[in-house]
Amino acid sequence: AGDLQSGAFTFYFARSVRPRDYVIGKLAGLGVMMAIITMAGPFLLACMRLGLCESWGDALAHIAILPKALAVGALAALVYAAVPLAFSAIADTRRTALAMWAAYYLVGGFIAMMVGALTHSGWVAALDLHTAIDGVAERLFEIPNLPGKHLAPVSLAAGLTSIVVQVSAAIVLIWVNVGRAQRSGVGGST
């Protein structure tokens, strides 16, 4: 939305930037920023956990927490890069994109979580992105279902399916809207 509003498409598409390159660049840039937030902290905590082990054998027995922490962080980075960017791709202004993302994430996610709780369906609850990521993390780290935390626990399959479907739909939306902007002459390219 910011590129459309500022006229940056003129620069990008006049310089033979293909929509594919533009989308990959935007996703990679936002993905790296999100990965710093979602991967670095959990990875450092996992390293600290290993450092607190009493023996090398104990540390080796728990070494699997490192790739698990990185996997959950990477999933979260992918979700929080692709889905908000999709709203930005379909909006005219940053304000509209932010409002749409907030409504989807906060309101839509809350509704999915509540309907999942009422129906005792982890699949419905997994439509909330935060709950889906939580569910994946809880299953990977084998955290038991705590009473009162989730009324509809999310399975690993439900969490991963929700994430893959929502991220895939977001990438398709971004790609289609950027391609449409290029073909329609936004930015002076025809």
Side-chain angles (χ1 to χ4, degrees):
D3 288 345
L4 180 65
Q5 195 173 11
S6 69
F9 280 124
T10 302
F11 175 77
Y12 296 135
F13 295 135
R15 304 241 185 280
S16 300
V17 173
R18 296 174 296 190
R20 178 184 69 197
D21 300 332
Y22 178 84
V23 170
I24 291 170
K26 283 288 185 181
L27 282 172
L30 193 53
V32 167
M33 287 183 356
M34 293 309 299
I36 291 170
I37 297 168
T38 62
M39 291 176 76
F43 182 75
L44 291 175
L45 285 173
C47 289
M48 288 176 59
R49 166 62 179 97
L50 290 177
L52 294 174
C53 290
E54 294 183 17
S55 66
W56 283 104
D58 190 28
L60 287 176
H62 291 91
I63 196 80
I65 65 172
L66 292 176
K68 290 177 183 180
L70 288 174
V72 171
L75 277 176
L78 184 61
V79 164
Y80 294 126
V83 179
L85 196 57
F87 286 108
S88 183
I90 61 176
D92 303 5
T93 64
R94 291 180 201 161
R95 185 181 316 189
T96 304
L98 186 57
M100 289 172 25
W101 163 240
Y104 181 78
Y105 185 72
L106 298 173
V107 178
F110 181 76
I111 290 170
M113 205 170 45
M114 288 296 104
V115 170
L118 290 173
T119 61
H120 301 290
S121 171
W123 284 90
V124 175
L127 293 174
D128 173 37
L129 291 170
H130 176 73
T131 303
I133 294 167
D134 262 3
V136 169
E138 289 170 357
R139 297 307 146 254
L140 284 179
F141 287 102
E142 299 170 3
I143 298 172
N145 294 327
L146 302 173
K149 183 169 187 318
H150 294 298
L151 298 176
V154 175
S155 67
L156 183 63
L160 287 175
T161 301
S162 174
I163 290 169
V164 167
V165 167
Q166 291 186 66
V167 167
S168 299
I171 292 172
V172 167
L173 265 172
I174 298 164
W175 201 299
V176 165
N177 283 301
V178 169
R180 186 179 302 139
Q182 184 205 29
R183 285 188 304 277
S184 69
V186 170
S189 173
T190 55

